Amino acid sequence: MAVVGIGPGGGKSLSIEAKQILLNSEVIIGYKTYIQLIEDLITEQQVISSSMKQELDRCQEALKLAKEGKQVAIVSSGDPGVYGMAGVVLELNEDPDLPVEIVPGTTAATGAASSLGAPLMHDFTVISLSDLLTPWQQIIKKLKAVASTDFVVVLYNPKSSQRREQIEIAREIFLEYRSPQTPVGLVSNNYRQGEKTVITTLEEFTNCDIDMSTTVVIGNDQSYVKFEKMITPRGYQL
Amino acid sequence: MAVVGIGPGGGKSLSIEAKQILLNSEVIIGYKTYIQLIEDLITEQQVISSSMKQELDRCQEALKLAKEGKQVAIVSSGDPGVYGMAGVVLELNEDPDLPVEIVPGTTAATGAASSLGAPLMHDFTVISLSDLLTPWQQIIKKLKAVASTDFVVVLYNPKSSQRREQIEIAREIFLEYRSPQTPVGLVSNNYRQGEKTVITTLEEFTNCDIDMSTTVVIGNDQSYVKFEKMITPRGYQL
């Protein structure tokens, strides 16, 4: 079986490898929004879609069908190894002889970065602000460590309808170490219909629209904006 | 013009978008190894290849040809926005009306992770050990910050023929904070001929073959090895 990353938005953001594997699958399993992103690749394959928060069920079903001999692909948006399904499938698999292939894709960090310009040209960090599976105090400790050492920081899952405070706390932590004018980029619905890109500042960014489809990129001390693009220099003498 | 990521190894690791843009280009510019990785896409396009360390010349040439009206693609391996050419092109561009498109791809971190299993399922950091463009003391400060806060860490440019000490120092820093048995994954020539994957430990990994084509993934306190795959759990109750 394969755990397949479909890039930020399916379609042209898919890798050639991912496309080939999906076309050759007998069963494709995934969250219904992800299935919609690859629906032009679906012809004869059986599709099993489900709602969010049924991740474990999807993985168990995929493993069961694979053990029965089916060619199964379970899809994740972005890269399946970054807060996706790759880890859960490997953790749940109890058969050492069942081959599980992880097929990488463009993850939200680099997809969003490409829409903003080139904010990730220097050392960077990826942090999820969701405290569903991680204690909030651990997340705060990580935010402080990277805010104080000039990493560019990409925040996944910045905010949801139930969870609105974390992004404000993250902003306050960064303001302790960085200028209020530090560039911050926001990308919502990357590579999907209604993609929206905003380049603003550390001081202002939480006044902008942010939801679960938004990726937040906080620049380092060197980041700047030029011709409406966000750039973190790498240090070449230009 | 476009700055195009070709994934870790070109070929099937390319995105559909990247392939289309390369096929439609009039001029393709890049380091010669990267050009070789996409040579099956080259028919009528003019190719300008150069050796390593001529990055600035390549970017200047690309911008000049684009201003003359040519459809130009400059290629980077992996993602062009991660230690690639995207930033330099945007920094050097002096024409606000010249459209520069950044085309993302699978970066070495997620490409290597997919070959190792699922080591990046929790918050992670990307750090280059090359001190050509960054003072070594800054790199050490970053290594300490993330080693002490349980990030999974991906090291790019870990070692070259002239630069052999940095990876040993990085290992010592991590050993101050993490068990010697912490899993470490090494992937060389990812998605290329001669790909090699090794899963070892923090104590042992610098005894293995490491060079500029190697991506090093250092696990966190939760990372473990199962059926020869490296996994960092995300925290689901399984």
Side-chain angles (χ1 to χ4, degrees):
Chain A
M1 69 171 292
V3 189
V4 179
I6 61 169
K12 66 182 183 178
S13 73
L14 219 67
S15 75
I16 293 167
E17 179 182 28
K19 181 179 176 180
Q20 284 169 345
I21 289 174
L22 293 175
L23 289 173
N24 293 332
S25 296
E26 293 169 289
V27 186
I28 298 178
I29 300 182
Y31 172 46
K32 60 183 185 321
T33 304
Y34 305 157
I35 297 288
Q36 284 163 10
L37 292 171
I38 53 159
E39 62 189 359
D40 58 327
L41 300 179
I42 293 168
T43 50
E44 310 269 281
Q45 308 97 317
Q46 183 191 347
V47 172
I48 302 176
S49 70
S50 55
S51 60
M52 210 60 172
K53 299 193 176 165
Q54 293 177 301
E55 292 95 344
L56 301 186
D57 294 343
R58 286 203 292 276
C59 294
Q60 292 285 23
E61 181 75 5
L63 286 162
K64 180 171 155 282
L65 291 166
K67 282 210 66 152
E68 289 168 13
K70 296 270 191 197
Q71 294 276 7
V72 180
I74 180 162
V75 294
S76 273
S77 77
D79 184 284
V82 179
Y83 311 118
M85 291 292 100
V88 183
V89 171
L90 294 176
E91 286 198 80
L92 289 173
N93 179 29
E94 290 306 333
D95 182 354
D97 297 321
L98 182 73
V100 179
E101 189 182 5
I102 312 298
V103 181
T106 295
T107 185
T110 58
S114 73
S115 293
L116 293 167
L120 305 185
M121 291 303 299
H122 213 302
D123 304 330
F124 69 93
T125 283
V126 170
I127 299 179
S128 168
L129 288 193
S130 170
D131 56 357
L132 273 180
L133 299 169
T134 304
W136 178 236
Q137 287 308 316
Q138 272 184 31
I139 300 174
I140 287 187
K141 205 174 151 198
K142 285 181 175 164
L143 289 169
K144 287 184 177 172
V146 297
S148 63
T149 46
D150 208 30
F151 278 96
V152 179
V153 177
V154 186
L155 301 177
Y156 282 49
N157 307 315
K159 194 176 181 179
S160 72
S161 47
Q162 282 86 47
R163 195 168 48 71
R164 313 174 69 84
E165 285 304 303
Q166 283 86 342
I167 190 73
E168 299 289 350
I169 297 169
R171 172 180 167 277
E172 283 164 27
I173 290 171
F174 278 87
L175 279 171
E176 286 174 38
Y177 300 99
R178 299 191 189 178
S179 157
Q181 296 310 308
T182 303
V184 171
L186 309 175
V187 182
S188 302
N189 293 307
N190 190 215
Y191 274 90
R192 303 183 193 182
Q193 212 163 18
E195 169 162 340
K196 194 177 160 200
T197 299
V198 174
I199 297 178
T200 175
T201 63
L202 187 54
E203 187 160 36
E204 295 291 341
F205 81 100
T206 54
N207 295 329
C208 304
D209 288 339
I210 297 177
D211 61 26
M212 284 301 273
S213 87
T214 310
T215 303
V216 178
V217 183
I218 301 174
N220 71 11
D221 280 358
Q222 306 288 309
S223 302
Y224 67 99
V225 179
K226 175 185 173 186
F227 304 159
E228 300 179 347
K229 296 288 183 187
M230 179 173 168
I231 302 171
T232 301
R234 173 96 174 92
Y236 288 101
Q237 294 297 320
L238 304 178
Chain B
M1 69 172 291
V3 189
V4 179
I6 62 169
K12 66 181 183 178
S13 73
L14 218 68
S15 75
I16 292 167
E17 180 182 27
K19 181 179 175 179
Q20 284 169 345
I21 290 174
L22 293 175
L23 288 174
N24 292 333
S25 296
E26 293 169 289
V27 186
I28 298 178
I29 299 181
Y31 172 47
K32 60 183 185 320
T33 304
Y34 305 157
I35 297 286
Q36 284 163 11
L37 292 170
I38 53 160
E39 63 190 358
D40 59 327
L41 300 179
I42 293 169
T43 51
E44 312 268 281
Q45 307 97 316
Q46 181 192 349
V47 172
I48 302 175
S49 70
S50 55
S51 59
M52 210 60 174
K53 300 193 175 164
Q54 292 176 302
E55 291 95 344
L56 301 187
D57 294 343
R58 286 203 293 275
C59 294
Q60 292 284 23
E61 181 74 6
L63 286 163
K64 179 171 155 284
L65 291 166
K67 282 208 65 151
E68 290 168 13
K70 295 270 193 200
Q71 293 278 7
V72 180
I74 180 163
V75 293
S76 273
S77 78
D79 184 284
V82 179
Y83 311 118
M85 291 293 100
V88 183
V89 171
L90 294 176
E91 287 198 81
L92 290 173
N93 179 28
E94 290 305 333
D95 182 353
D97 297 320
L98 182 73
V100 179
E101 188 182 4
I102 312 298
V103 181
T106 295
T107 184
T110 58
S114 74
S115 294
L116 293 167
L120 304 186
M121 292 302 298
H122 213 302
D123 304 330
F124 69 93
T125 284
V126 170
I127 300 179
S128 169
L129 288 193
S130 170
D131 57 356
L132 274 179
L133 299 170
T134 304
W136 178 236
Q137 288 307 317
Q138 271 185 30
I139 301 174
I140 286 187
K141 205 173 149 198
K142 284 180 177 166
L143 289 169
K144 287 184 177 172
V146 297
S148 64
T149 46
D150 208 31
F151 278 96
V152 179
V153 177
V154 186
L155 301 177
Y156 282 49
N157 307 315
K159 195 176 181 178
S160 73
S161 47
Q162 281 88 45
R163 195 167 49 69
R164 313 175 69 84
E165 285 303 303
Q166 283 87 342
I167 189 73
E168 299 289 350
I169 298 170
R171 172 180 167 277
E172 283 163 28
I173 290 170
F174 278 87
L175 279 170
E176 286 175 37
Y177 300 99
R178 299 192 189 177
S179 157
Q181 296 311 309
T182 303
V184 171
L186 310 174
V187 182
S188 302
N189 293 308
N190 190 215
Y191 273 88
R192 302 183 193 182
Q193 211 163 19
E195 169 162 340
K196 194 176 161 200
T197 300
V198 174
I199 296 178
T200 175
T201 63
L202 187 53
E203 187 159 37
E204 295 291 341
F205 81 99
T206 53
N207 296 329
C208 304
D209 288 339
I210 296 177
D211 61 27
M212 284 301 273
S213 87
T214 309
T215 302
V216 178
V217 183
I218 300 174
N220 71 11
D221 281 358
Q222 307 287 309
S223 302
Y224 66 100
V225 180
K226 175 184 173 184
F227 304 157
E228 301 178 348
K229 295 288 182 189
M230 180 173 168
I231 302 171
T232 300
R234 173 93 173 92
Y236 287 100
Q237 294 299 319
L238 304 179

